[in-house]
């Protein structure tokens, strides 16, 4: 896996390797988690347990040092030590930077590189390593979770704060208060009477919906930049993200048991890795000199970078998975539709609307459509659903872009 690395890449990977030791019975990896590491087993025996209780035993061998253990994300297998275990783990962002995370193989995008491509890949690799090192040393030029969203999230999760307490926090930001009131009085949530105060709006929406909406609305400031080189690109990114978020919101309301506000948040955050790249581009002018080349760089790097940022914000695994796999068109999984399926369908529909089909596989191969809309799913049916819910989507876009 690491044999073909350049010397400087090997040094960077070696610097990031972390030892893993576990006693018999210890859980090494929890099923459903996504901690941002790839694990390798060097000594001992582990069991891999699926959701249905089926287990597989793996003993250490030369092969387990070359092949990651339970590496699908979010983890579909839990890993438990059956003896004293030793191994190592490497951050996913570092493996991506070294070009050995297997992402391009997984998506069937194997290409020959010319000299210019190779130079760009090396610059991308160095950028990824720098972002990782900066994050470890708290020097990263990365977006941070807005303070108001953090305070409201803590207040709601402490199980003590009531609607009035949360409303006072919302009212500390007049712009946020206006958005929460607008949402509460929209056709999506509106009641018989108008909610005239933040307390009434919070009561109508409920604590969890308020938390999700505040976080979503606060994220607009993450898309701001002082760098004139990328200001227009950041504005385009915000417009695209809010459009995808609105589409995810509408689609989620068609699926029983799927929280629309969570889908809205995941849609808005799916390109957060691109924000990191744009924030660093001033230090890597060669990557930003060619607009088409910059788009290729963003496309290749944003998934793992976005996942790293969202883990740093301590957001749940489905949000992380959305950023990482937003353009994994051929993604397969068992069970009902999840949030990443919604995100994939929303992005495909937006591309269809704009007639931007380059890079998309044949639509019948995108299985997310069937999981989201059923066995008889077609792009036409999806567009009809969006047409029928156009007022909801327009209303949510209006609130997001206010």
């Amino acid at each position: 896996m690491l044999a073909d690395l350049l010397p400087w890449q090997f040094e960077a990977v070696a610097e990031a390797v972390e030892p893993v030791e576990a006693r018999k019975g210890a859980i090494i990896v929890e099923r459903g988690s996504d901690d941002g590491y790839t694990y390798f087993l060097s000594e001992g025996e582990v069991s891999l347990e699926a959701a249905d209780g089926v287990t597989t035993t793996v003993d250490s061998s030369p092969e387990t040092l070359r092949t990651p253990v339970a590496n699908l994300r979010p983890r579909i297998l839990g890993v438990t030590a059956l003896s004293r275990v030793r191994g190592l783990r490497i951050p996913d962002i570092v493996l991506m930077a070294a070009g050995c995370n297997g992402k391009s193989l997984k998506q069937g995008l194997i290409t020959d590189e010319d000299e210019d491509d190779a130079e760009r890949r090396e610059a991308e690799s160095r950028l990824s390593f720098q972002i990782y090192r900066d994050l470890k040393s708290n020097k990263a030029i990365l977006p941070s979770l807005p303070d108001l969203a953090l305070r409201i999230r803590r207040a709601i999760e402490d199980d003590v704060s009531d609607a009035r307490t949360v409303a006072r926090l919302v009212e500390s930001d007049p712009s946020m208060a206006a958005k929460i009131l607008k949402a509460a009085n929209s056709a999506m949530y509106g009641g018989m009477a108008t909610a005239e105060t933040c307390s009434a709006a919070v009561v109508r929406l409920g604590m969890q919906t308020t938390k999700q909406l505040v976080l979503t609305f606060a994220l607009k400031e993450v898309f701001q930049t002082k760098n004139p080189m990328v200001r227009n690109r950041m504005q385009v990114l915000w417009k695209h993200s809010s459009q995808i978020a609105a589409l995810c919101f509408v689609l989620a309301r068609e699926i029983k048991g799927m929280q629309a506000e969570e889908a809205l948040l995941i849609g808005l955050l799916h390109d957060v890795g691109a924000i990191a790249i744009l924030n660093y581009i001033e230090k890597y002018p060669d990557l930003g000199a060619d607009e088409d080349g910059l788009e290729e760089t963003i496309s290749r790097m944003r998934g793992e970078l976005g996942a790293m940022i969202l883990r740093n914000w301590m957001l749940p695994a489905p949000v992380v998975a959305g950023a990482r796999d937003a353009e994994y068109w051929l993604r397969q999984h068992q069970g009902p539709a999840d949030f990443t399926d919604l995100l994939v369908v929303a992005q495909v529909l937006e591309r269809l609307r704009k007639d931007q089909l380059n890079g998309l596989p044949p639509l019948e191969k995108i299985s997310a459509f069937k999981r989201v809309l059923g066995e008889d799913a077609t792009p036409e049916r999806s567009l009809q659903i969006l047409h029928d819910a156009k007022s909801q989507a327009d209303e949510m876009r209006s609130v997001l872009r206010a």
Side-chain angles (χ1 to χ4, degrees), residues 81-292:
L82 297 179
S83 66
R84 183 173 181 82
V85 165
R86 290 178 178 167
L88 55 87
R89 66 179 192 175
I90 305 174
D92 295 336
I93 187 69
V94 171
L95 289 177
M96 182 206 74
C100 54
N101 67 339
K103 188 78 169 180
S104 61
L105 297 178
K106 181 171 69 172
Q107 300 206 39
L109 303 175
I110 302 174
T111 58
D112 294 325
E113 292 185 336
D114 59 24
E115 187 173 339
D116 290 341
D117 287 335
E119 290 177 358
R120 174 169 285 277
R121 290 297 186 114
E122 180 171 339
E124 291 172 3
S125 185
R126 291 185 183 276
L127 170 58
S128 295
F129 280 129
Q130 180 174 349
I131 292 175
Y132 167 73
R133 284 168 169 156
D134 287 354
L135 188 67
K136 292 284 282 185
S137 58
N138 293 318
K139 297 178 181 177
I141 315 172
L142 295 176
S144 58
L145 200 58
D147 179 64
L148 176 64
L150 280 172
R151 285 187 285 130
I152 289 175
R153 188 169 76 171
R154 283 196 293 265
I156 290 174
E157 291 176 351
D158 68 9
D159 294 327
V160 175
S161 301
D162 57 13
R164 185 174 298 177
T165 302
V166 173
R168 281 200 295 268
L169 288 172
V170 173
E171 287 168 343
S172 69
D173 183 328
S175 174
M176 179 63 68
K179 289 181 178 182
I180 289 296
L181 278 167
K182 185 173 182 179
N185 289 312
S186 70
M188 298 173 289
Y189 302 105
M192 296 295 291
T194 300
E196 296 183 352
T197 66
C198 270
S199 291
V202 171
V203 169
R204 175 174 294 174
L205 294 169
M207 290 291 219
Q208 291 305 314
T209 296
T210 299
K211 180 180 75 171
Q212 297 284 24
L213 290 179
V214 166
L215 177 54
T216 300
F217 297 155
L219 285 170
K220 186 172 183 179
E221 68 184 67
V222 171
F223 290 78
Q224 307 299 318
T225 179
K226 296 178 181 179
N227 183 352
M229 287 174 54
V230 297
R231 188 172 296 135
N232 287 340
R233 181 64 181 83
M234 199 76 87
Q235 290 171 353
V236 169
L237 186 62
W238 165 251
K239 186 175 181 180
H240 166 75
S241 296
S242 57
Q243 170 71 5
I244 296 301
L247 294 180
C248 286
F249 180 84
V250 169
L251 288 169
R253 299 193 85 170
E254 296 294 318
I255 301 175
K256 185 178 180 180
M258 187 162 281
Q259 190 184 16
E261 292 76 25
E262 183 88 351
L264 181 77
L265 177 64
I266 288 170
L268 197 64
L269 286 172
H270 78 279
D271 262 345
V272 72
I275 300 174
I277 296 167
L278 293 173
N279 283 341
Y280 270 81
I281 210 69
E282 196 170 10
K283 294 186 175 184
Y284 290 81
D286 290 348
L287 289 177
D290 171 47
E291 189 172 332
D292 290 339

Side-chain angles (χ1 to χ4, degrees), residues 324-345:
R324 189 189 56 244
D325 293 332
E327 293 191 354
Y328 185 9
W329 311 122
L330 302 181
R331 176 176 176 264
Q332 299 279 353
H333 69 87
Q334 299 297 317
D338 60 17
F339 289 111
T340 303
D341 288 327
L342 284 183
L343 188 51
V344 167
V345 170

